[in-house]
Amino acid sequence: MKSKILALLGSALISGTAMAGGYQVNLAGQRQIGMGHTGTGLVTGTSSIFFNPGAMSHLGYSGVTIGGSALVSKIAHSAPESGGVTARTDNPLGTPFQVYGVYNINEKFSAGLGVYTPFGSTVDWGNEWSGRYGLNQLKLQAIYVQPTVSYAITDKLGIGIGLSYVVGSVNLQRSVPVQNQDGTEGGLELDGSAESAFGFNAGIFFQATEKLSIGVNYRSKVDLKVEGGDVMFSNIPAAARGNFPDGTTFNAELPMPSTLSVGIGFKPNERLTLAADVSHVGWDAYEKLRFDFSQNVAGSPFSEASRNYENAFIYRIGGEYMATDALALRAGAYLDKTPVQDGYLTPETPDSDSRGLSAGIGYSVSENFSIDASFLYINKKERTDAANLSNGVPGTFKSVAYIPGIGLNFKF
Amino acid sequence: MKKFFYKSSVLALMAGMFLTSCDPEIDAPAASSGEADFSTYVALGNSLTAGFADGALYREGQQASYPAILAKQFEQVGGNSDFRQPLMPEGVSAGSPRSNPSNPSIVEVPQKRVLRIQPDCRGDVGLAPVEAGNAAALTPAFLGQLAPTVQGPYNNLGVPGAKSFHLLAPGYGNPAGLMTQPATANPFFARFASSPNTSVVADAMAQNPTFFTLWIGNNDVLGYALAGGTPSPTSSDYPTNKDMFTAYIAGIVNQLTSKGAKGALGNIPDVTKIPFFTTIPYNALVLSAEQAAQLTAGYAAKGLGHLTFQAGANALVVLEDGIPRKATPNELILLPASDFIKCQGGGSSTPLPDQLVLSEAELAIIKDHTNSYNASIKAVADAKGLAHGDFNAYLSRLSTGFAQNGVAYNSAFVTGNIFSLDGIHFTPRGAALVANEFINVINTKYGARIPKVDETQYKTVALP
């Protein structure tokens, strides 16, 4: 059974769509997705590797979790004064996943390994819409592999830290405004793998009373750098080919921003768990999107567009109710404030304040095996922007996403 | 266990089907016609209105004329979907009639221009706008080949070459008037005039229009500019008398509004901002030190010692009233001087003739007339409660350049994306932007909500 599921995950495309603020994808654990993605102040299970390594030593068992989501995202665009929807994305199904394994070494120590995908984006606008010279398609992937250790200083206080090893890739396609005799347009594709990068994920967990727990978690910024990525041109008229030379490569850099979270957990009784988190995301690291070319492209050795993201907060609440000893019912909500300032909207992440509503169930099949299922609905505020500061595409954007997910938990 | 997974995958599948139907929507205000009625729209004007492009009238240009684009947008607010244009037959193009260069007694019609990669007069291989084929003699047989492929009455009444008063002139489309000396008719109107003695305005009014656009007056001043400002005040190419223009424009609009139609007027761009006049800089004479010395000596030998040259860029030498002098930074050199300068010593050992240069005095005449015409157009629009498109301002904005949807637009030849290969008329993209300007002012004037067109769906200059 296990191998089958793993094979399924392996065959799926590892990509999420930018459905949280910016290009962050907060889908790190099925139980927590059901609870509005809270978890900094809780012992969330093996997923504490992500949510708060400080809580991992309080887990009290060894276990493995495998989970994944099916991310259906849709974005509509209405060009200025066009009177209606003028373009829709045709995004492929995103499949962000998570695998966590925790080994409980002794009462004090535990060690674990997490593999997850906190950033990523596949947005496909096609090559006919009015913004095609800005973007046809962007595929951004980042996979984090995070070995983690946690130490329980006391039975109330735990600390933990993980080293994140990050690999990623980017593929960007857009139309080039040069026209052939038959009316077809040129195309540009940038494709590259990021050099391995490192970051860390550290947390403190404090079980203040039997009912109340508090956690603080910090995930560091990671800069993904592409060196020598391929620049490919297609369908460029002969007369313009000198401007778009074959064999060009590019360098680029994209920050995966830091996230500082504070969370509390509250258990008013044996059956009910409530949680609230506040996260601060260091989006101001994303100032610009710059591609440096090995040869001049359209007469310039680089292409640069301002982003000037602002730091942003995410507010989350969630709850879990044990309807029976085996069945958990969960619900949650969050508000993810946009890091994108007015004038800087872009078609790759036409971001605005994002509202998430989630529900989930957990079912313990046996002592050692349980299943979590979650459903998250994300609705981003409709946003109209001139996009005049980002070289973006002006107009009104509206995004929604439907994200069912399932996770399997094995206890040893 | 297995059963559980089977069930959940069926559920997931059903959920997936349900979800694909939940597309995000954007509520936009509904399109509306406001106080205007677009059910019968007619467009009057000159070559810009006809969809003339690349130096000729041809089908693709007509299909992307700004009135055709406007009509498509008007359809969404009650406009008729049958907007008729006197379309040229497939594969046929006809430029403005001209004298055959080697036999001036023959009047010929050039074909449209295309870009080719070929050697220029110096043998340097590069991108060049060239006529797609040989010009045809203007004969009744040739005119017969230009017959519209669509039956009238025609909503697009744009006539290439028309000046303001031509729209009022009966017989302007009379084939008999084409062969007289001077011609009293225009072959482009003769193609589609409803009868020999009708006028453009009469053909418009016969359709009982509810809405019109009128963009006329460019040729009233452009003919003078294209002739390098050489026509004398008595010539028919001299700018139309300012007071007469006021009367003509009022006369046209009076008729067009006589049955209660609403409409929009466009004013005249500063013709000196189009690529035809701005592509060749005044100091296009680039010399080596040796060439400069030779040229200086050559003019000194002719007793013109004040004409001296240096290595690098020099002002072109122009001939005015028989006397060679250097062009000033404010003067404009016409695009057809290109090969003459490049290969025949034009502007160097041979001064550029007056008809290839607009002097400051000539530019002042153009400006004075343009301003006066535009004041008249504005006054008529205001008096009649019509929308007014300020294309003069729009073209000024274009000459500094702007970006829209990731494309840079400016008034540069070929690369500016607005002007076609004649340096005067629009590309389809340029026409779409013009249509959106018209929509802007119509929406404002009549409280309408006509959707804007996606200009990126229209072509720019096609490259080989």
Side-chain angles (χ1 to χ4, degrees):
Chain A
M1 191 64 235
K2 214 192 307 186
S3 62
K4 256 190 192 170
I5 300 281
L6 278 171
L8 195 73
L9 281 175
S11 68
L13 266 178
I14 301 156
S15 60
T17 300
M19 276 317 303
Y23 39 88
Q24 203 175 29
V25 180
N26 286 310
L27 297 168
Q30 296 305 323
R31 174 176 176 243
Q32 299 320 121
I33 294 171
M35 298 173 69
H37 215 261
T38 54
T40 311
L42 298 175
V43 179
T44 62
T46 57
S47 66
S48 281
I49 290 175
F50 172 85
F51 286 96
N52 187 350
M56 193 171 88
S57 53
H58 283 67
L59 190 57
Y61 61 83
S62 298
V64 170
T65 296
I66 302 165
S69 294
L71 200 164
V72 179
S73 77
K74 293 155 182 284
I75 314 175
H77 171 246
S78 174
E81 298 172 78
S82 62
V85 172
T86 44
R88 291 182 185 281
T89 55
D90 183 17
N91 299 334
L93 183 76
T95 52
F97 69 92
Q98 60 281 158
V99 179
Y100 300 109
V102 174
Y103 180 59
N104 202 24
I105 300 168
N106 58 38
E107 268 184 20
K108 292 274 184 191
F109 271 109
S110 63
L113 179 72
V115 182
Y116 54 90
T117 54
F119 296 94
S121 168
T122 301
V123 181
D124 184 0
W125 287 101
N127 59 5
E128 288 173 7
W129 78 304
S130 61
R132 63 189 180 278
Y133 308 118
L135 186 71
N136 296 343
Q137 197 194 76
L138 175 72
K139 189 184 289 185
L140 185 69
Q141 301 178 349
I143 300 176
Y144 279 50
V145 179
Q146 184 194 313
T148 308
V149 290
S150 183
Y151 176 65
I153 298 169
T154 69
D155 60 355
K156 290 192 166 182
L157 185 65
I159 56 169
I161 187 163
L163 177 73
S164 313
Y165 167 79
V166 184
V167 291
S169 66
V170 64
N171 179 288
L172 183 148
Q173 296 171 32
R174 60 185 174 212
S175 299
V176 177
V178 292
Q179 217 147 28
N180 288 283
Q181 296 290 340
D182 61 4
T184 55
E185 292 178 320
L188 164 70
E189 180 173 352
L190 303 170
D191 188 86
S193 295
E195 315 214 314
S196 318
F198 293 93
F200 69 91
N201 181 353
I204 303 172
F205 177 75
F206 182 56
Q207 186 73 50
T209 70
E210 215 165 89
K211 290 184 172 176
L212 186 69
S213 54
I214 303 168
V216 178
N217 173 247
Y218 181 75
R219 295 189 289 278
S220 72
K221 181 179 88 150
V222 176
D223 285 322
L224 281 187
K225 285 182 191 159
V226 176
E227 303 258 338
D230 294 322
V231 181
M232 291 164 282
F233 300 105
S234 56
N235 212 20
I236 303 289
R241 249 166 242 164
N243 254 341
F244 303 98
D246 285 338
T248 306
T249 62
F250 76 94
N251 296 343
E253 194 176 319
L254 188 71
M256 308 287 121
S258 64
T259 304
L260 174 67
S261 302
V262 178
I264 56 167
F266 183 60
K267 284 191 168 189
N269 60 51
E270 267 304 296
R271 295 206 169 272
L272 187 62
T273 304
L274 299 174
D277 279 31
V278 175
S279 297
H280 179 262
V281 187
W283 280 115
D284 67 356
Y286 192 31
E287 290 171 0
K288 63 193 178 194
L289 180 61
R290 182 183 164 110
F291 297 99
D292 286 291
F293 302 118
S294 61
Q295 316 174 62
N296 278 9
V297 171
S300 172
F302 66 90
S303 120
E304 184 175 298
S306 299
R307 292 295 180 260
N308 290 326
Y309 274 30
E310 282 180 322
N311 292 338
F313 283 95
I314 311 175
Y315 309 92
R316 308 173 182 283
I317 52 168
E320 178 182 63
Y321 178 71
M322 297 304 297
T324 71
D325 285 347
L327 181 67
L329 303 177
R330 302 171 188 133
Y334 67 76
L335 173 65
D336 188 351
K337 302 291 278 182
T338 181
V340 179
Q341 302 185 62
D342 285 346
Y344 288 95
L345 210 61
T346 63
E348 61 263 28
T349 49
D351 201 53
S352 68
D353 290 349
S354 151
R355 286 92 38 121
L357 271 180
S358 70
I361 53 169
Y363 186 72
S364 295
V365 177
S366 72
E367 186 81 348
N368 295 325
F369 176 54
S370 65
I371 298 166
D372 291 316
S374 69
F375 187 84
L376 172 63
Y377 169 67
I378 299 175
N379 185 313
K380 289 196 186 191
K381 251 189 194 163
E382 187 174 299
R383 184 165 182 184
T384 302
D385 198 84
N388 51 331
L389 301 172
S390 58
N391 294 344
V393 177
T396 305
F397 290 87
K398 173 76 186 176
S399 315
V400 297
Y402 309 93
I403 312 165
I406 192 157
L408 309 176
N409 310 298
F410 305 91
K411 269 186 213 175
F412 308 117
Chain B
M1 225 2 238
K2 264 186 181 160
K3 206 172 165 189
F4 178 88
F5 280 109
Y6 173 75
K7 270 189 181 164
S8 47
S9 51
V10 168
L11 271 172
L13 201 69
M14 282 168 64
M17 283 160 65
F18 163 73
L19 295 174
T20 43
S21 60
C22 296
D23 286 335
E25 288 304 329
I26 294 170
D27 288 329
S32 76
S33 61
E35 298 151 29
D37 172 0
F38 298 97
S39 54
T40 305
Y41 162 50
V42 291
L44 292 87
N46 49 41
S47 46
L48 297 174
T49 300
F52 196 94
D54 301 321
L57 189 70
Y58 66 103
R59 200 178 176 91
E60 290 77 11
Q62 292 177 293
Q63 285 167 333
S65 68
Y66 77 82
I69 297 168
L70 272 180
K72 265 183 221 141
Q73 301 309 106
F74 289 167
E75 271 182 49
Q76 300 171 55
V77 291
N80 192 327
S81 61
D82 187 20
F83 182 83
R84 294 194 185 184
Q85 304 196 94
L87 291 179
M88 294 278 281
E90 203 78 60
V92 180
S93 65
S96 299
R98 67 181 180 205
S99 298
N100 181 304
S102 46
N103 184 353
S105 67
I106 298 175
V107 176
E108 63 177 21
V109 178
Q111 294 192 21
K112 70 167 179 180
R113 283 178 210 174
V114 293
L115 277 181
R116 295 232 172 96
I117 300 172
Q118 61 176 49
D120 66 5
C121 57
R122 269 193 308 224
D124 299 339
V125 175
L127 207 52
V130 295
E131 288 170 15
N134 294 329
L138 180 62
T139 61
F142 177 72
L143 281 175
Q145 293 171 26
L146 309 183
T149 59
V150 181
Q151 284 291 308
Y154 300 107
N155 300 81
N156 187 342
L157 295 154
V159 178
K163 296 183 181 182
S164 56
F165 51 89
H166 287 141
L167 302 190
L168 294 160
Y172 188 54
N174 188 342
L178 294 174
M179 302 300 161
T180 57
Q181 287 292 342
T184 56
N186 180 324
F188 292 108
F189 187 42
R191 286 182 64 234
F192 70 89
S194 64
S195 70
N197 289 318
T198 188
S199 71
V200 174
V201 170
D203 270 9
M205 290 314 293
Q207 301 177 54
N208 296 317
T210 60
F211 196 87
F212 67 88
T213 55
L214 173 67
W215 195 11
I216 195 75
N218 296 49
N219 288 325
D220 292 72
V221 68
L222 185 65
Y224 176 78
L226 293 178
T230 52
S232 70
T234 53
S235 160
S236 65
D237 278 335
Y238 195 78
T240 306
N241 178 285
K242 293 181 273 184
D243 294 333
M244 295 302 284
F245 184 89
T246 307
Y248 296 141
I249 202 86
I252 298 167
V253 173
N254 278 339
Q255 287 199 49
L256 290 173
T257 54
S258 62
K259 294 179 183 173
K262 294 188 163 65
L265 304 187
N267 74 0
I268 305 169
D270 181 348
V271 294
T272 61
K273 293 217 163 88
I274 61 181
F276 191 87
F277 299 103
T278 57
T279 302
I280 303 175
Y282 84 100
N283 61 350
L285 181 58
V286 180
L287 301 170
S288 65
E290 194 187 339
Q291 289 169 321
Q294 268 179 14
L295 199 58
T296 306
Y299 276 108
K302 293 179 198 164
L304 296 163
H306 62 287
L307 292 178
T308 59
F309 302 88
Q310 301 142 11
N314 288 267
L316 292 158
V317 182
V318 302
L319 194 66
E320 189 174 77
D321 301 329
I323 302 162
R325 62 167 177 83
K326 285 203 178 173
T328 70
N330 293 327
E331 292 179 321
L332 300 177
I333 314 298
L334 277 54
L335 192 54
S338 176
D339 278 2
F340 184 43
I341 292 169
K342 242 196 263 180
C343 301
Q344 293 153 38
S348 167
S349 53
T350 313
L352 292 178
D354 203 1
Q355 65 264 30
L356 290 174
V357 184
L358 285 175
S359 69
E360 293 186 30
E362 292 157 355
L363 285 165
I365 290 172
I366 292 169
K367 187 167 188 182
D368 175 45
H369 282 82
T370 303
N371 289 345
S372 170
Y373 297 167
N374 283 344
S376 302
I377 291 169
K378 180 81 170 76
V380 171
D382 287 349
K384 294 283 181 183
L386 303 171
H388 176 260
D390 189 352
F391 291 102
N392 189 280
Y394 191 74
L395 246 82
S396 297
R397 205 179 131 219
L398 195 58
S399 59
T400 50
F402 64 89
Q404 192 166 320
N405 281 320
V407 182
Y409 295 101
N410 55 55
S411 52
F413 192 45
V414 180
T415 57
N417 291 320
I418 299 282
F419 289 102
S420 68
L421 297 175
D422 54 30
I424 298 171
H425 299 95
F426 300 122
T427 57
R429 183 76 59 84
L433 290 169
V434 163
N436 277 341
E437 273 303 295
F438 264 118
I439 289 173
N440 253 345
V441 298
I442 293 168
N443 282 346
T444 305
K445 184 73 195 177
Y446 296 115
R449 280 189 192 278
I450 304 159
K452 294 272 184 77
V453 71
D454 175 3
E455 81 283 352
T456 69
Q457 302 304 321
Y458 290 85
K459 289 186 194 178
T460 57
V461 172
L463 299 175

